Amino acid sequence: QVQLVESGGGLVQAGGSLRLSCAASGRIFSMNVMGWYRQAPGKQRELVASITSGGWTNYVDSVKGRFTISRDNAKNTVSLQMNSLKPEDTAVYYCYAQTKVVLTLSDHWGQGTQVTVSS
Protein backbone atom coordinates (compact mmCIF):
# COMPACT_ATOMS: atom_id res chain seq x y z
CA GLN A 1 0.00 0.00 0.00
CA VAL A 2 1.18 3.48 -0.91
CA GLN A 3 -0.24 6.58 0.71
CA LEU A 4 0.01 10.11 -0.62
CA VAL A 5 -0.55 12.99 1.78
CA GLU A 6 -0.95 16.50 0.41
CA SER A 7 -0.60 19.83 2.14
CA GLY A 8 -0.49 23.50 1.25
CA GLY A 9 -3.83 24.34 -0.28
CA GLY A 10 -5.88 27.33 0.75
CA LEU A 11 -7.38 30.65 -0.21
CA VAL A 12 -5.31 33.29 -1.96
CA GLN A 13 -5.97 36.45 -3.92
CA ALA A 14 -5.31 36.62 -7.64
CA GLY A 15 -1.65 37.23 -8.29
CA GLY A 16 -0.61 35.46 -5.13
CA SER A 17 1.32 32.27 -4.57
CA LEU A 18 0.82 28.90 -2.97
CA ARG A 19 3.02 25.85 -2.59
CA LEU A 20 1.57 22.36 -2.60
CA SER A 21 3.51 19.44 -1.18
CA CYS A 22 2.91 15.71 -1.30
CA ALA A 23 4.68 12.95 0.57
CA ALA A 24 4.47 9.31 -0.42
CA SER A 25 4.84 6.54 2.11
CA GLY A 26 4.34 2.82 2.33
CA ARG A 27 5.75 -0.02 0.25
CA ILE A 28 7.59 1.90 -2.45
CA PHE A 29 10.08 -0.09 -4.46
CA SER A 30 10.48 2.29 -7.34
CA MET A 31 8.79 5.61 -8.00
CA ASN A 32 8.20 6.60 -11.59
CA VAL A 33 6.26 9.68 -12.55
CA MET A 34 4.88 12.02 -9.90
CA GLY A 35 2.60 14.90 -10.57
CA TRP A 36 -0.39 17.05 -9.85
CA TYR A 37 -3.86 16.96 -11.33
CA ARG A 38 -6.74 19.32 -10.66
CA GLN A 39 -10.48 19.23 -10.98
CA ALA A 40 -12.67 22.28 -11.01
CA PRO A 41 -16.44 22.06 -10.40
CA GLY A 42 -18.21 20.71 -13.43
CA LYS A 43 -14.97 19.95 -15.25
CA GLN A 44 -12.89 16.88 -15.89
CA ARG A 45 -9.74 16.20 -13.97
CA GLU A 46 -6.74 17.51 -15.85
CA LEU A 47 -3.01 17.05 -15.58
CA VAL A 48 -1.36 20.20 -14.29
CA ALA A 49 2.27 19.11 -14.14
CA SER A 50 4.32 15.96 -13.96
CA ILE A 51 7.94 15.06 -13.33
CA THR A 52 9.86 11.87 -13.98
CA SER A 53 12.44 10.34 -11.69
CA GLY A 54 15.06 11.79 -14.01
CA GLY A 55 13.70 15.30 -13.63
CA TRP A 56 11.88 15.72 -16.94
CA THR A 57 8.87 17.97 -16.48
CA ASN A 58 5.63 18.52 -18.33
CA TYR A 59 3.07 21.28 -17.82
CA VAL A 60 -0.38 22.05 -19.14
CA ASP A 61 -0.16 25.15 -21.31
CA SER A 62 -2.28 27.26 -18.99
CA VAL A 63 0.27 27.09 -16.14
CA LYS A 64 3.53 27.30 -18.07
CA GLY A 65 5.72 30.06 -16.73
CA ARG A 66 3.69 30.31 -13.52
CA PHE A 67 3.92 26.88 -11.88
CA THR A 68 7.03 24.86 -11.11
CA ILE A 69 7.05 21.20 -10.15
CA SER A 70 9.91 19.60 -8.24
CA ARG A 71 10.59 16.34 -6.45
CA ASP A 72 12.94 14.80 -3.96
CA ASN A 73 13.59 11.23 -5.03
CA ALA A 74 15.23 10.29 -1.73
CA LYS A 75 12.20 11.41 0.26
CA ASN A 76 9.52 10.47 -2.30
CA THR A 77 8.04 13.93 -2.22
CA VAL A 78 6.73 16.20 -4.94
CA SER A 79 5.92 19.88 -4.74
CA LEU A 80 4.14 22.41 -6.90
CA GLN A 81 5.06 26.07 -6.58
CA MET A 82 2.20 28.13 -7.95
CA ASN A 83 2.82 31.80 -8.69
CA SER A 84 0.70 34.49 -10.33
CA LEU A 85 -2.41 32.54 -9.46
CA LYS A 86 -5.60 33.25 -11.36
CA PRO A 87 -9.23 32.62 -10.43
CA GLU A 88 -9.35 29.93 -13.10
CA ASP A 89 -6.74 27.99 -11.13
CA THR A 90 -9.38 27.35 -8.50
CA ALA A 91 -9.83 23.60 -8.14
CA VAL A 92 -9.16 20.59 -6.00
CA TYR A 93 -5.56 19.56 -6.60
CA TYR A 94 -4.61 15.90 -6.43
CA CYS A 95 -1.17 14.46 -5.99
CA TYR A 96 -0.38 11.53 -8.28
CA ALA A 97 2.37 8.96 -8.17
CA GLN A 98 3.16 5.91 -10.24
CA THR A 99 5.12 3.10 -8.65
CA LYS A 100 6.82 0.21 -10.33
CA VAL A 101 7.46 -3.31 -9.12
CA VAL A 102 9.32 -5.31 -11.77
CA LEU A 103 7.03 -4.76 -14.80
CA THR A 104 3.91 -3.77 -12.89
CA LEU A 105 2.93 -0.10 -12.77
CA SER A 106 0.47 1.14 -10.17
CA ASP A 107 -1.24 4.52 -9.91
CA HIS A 108 -1.80 6.24 -6.58
CA TRP A 109 -3.74 9.35 -5.65
CA GLY A 110 -3.86 11.73 -2.74
CA GLN A 111 -7.08 12.82 -1.12
CA GLY A 112 -7.02 16.24 -2.74
CA THR A 113 -6.45 19.73 -1.43
CA GLN A 114 -8.59 22.76 -2.24
CA VAL A 115 -7.03 25.77 -3.90
CA THR A 116 -9.25 28.83 -4.17
CA VAL A 117 -8.12 31.99 -5.94
CA SER A 118 -10.27 35.05 -5.40
CA SER A 119 -10.47 37.88 -7.89
Side-chain angles (χ1 to χ4, degrees), residues 64-75:
K64 287 180 180 178
R66 300 188 296 122
F67 292 10
T68 303
I69 190 170
S70 60
R71 67 186 279 174
D72 184 327
N73 290 332
K75 297 181 179 179

Side-chain angles (χ1 to χ4, degrees), residues 88-109:
E88 50 263 43
D89 294 318
T90 295
V92 177
Y93 285 69
Y94 296 92
C95 177
Y96 164 80
Q98 184 183 72
T99 58
K100 180 179 180 182
V101 178
V102 189
L103 298 180
T104 301
L105 300 176
S106 300
D107 297 331
H108 309 278
W109 295 91

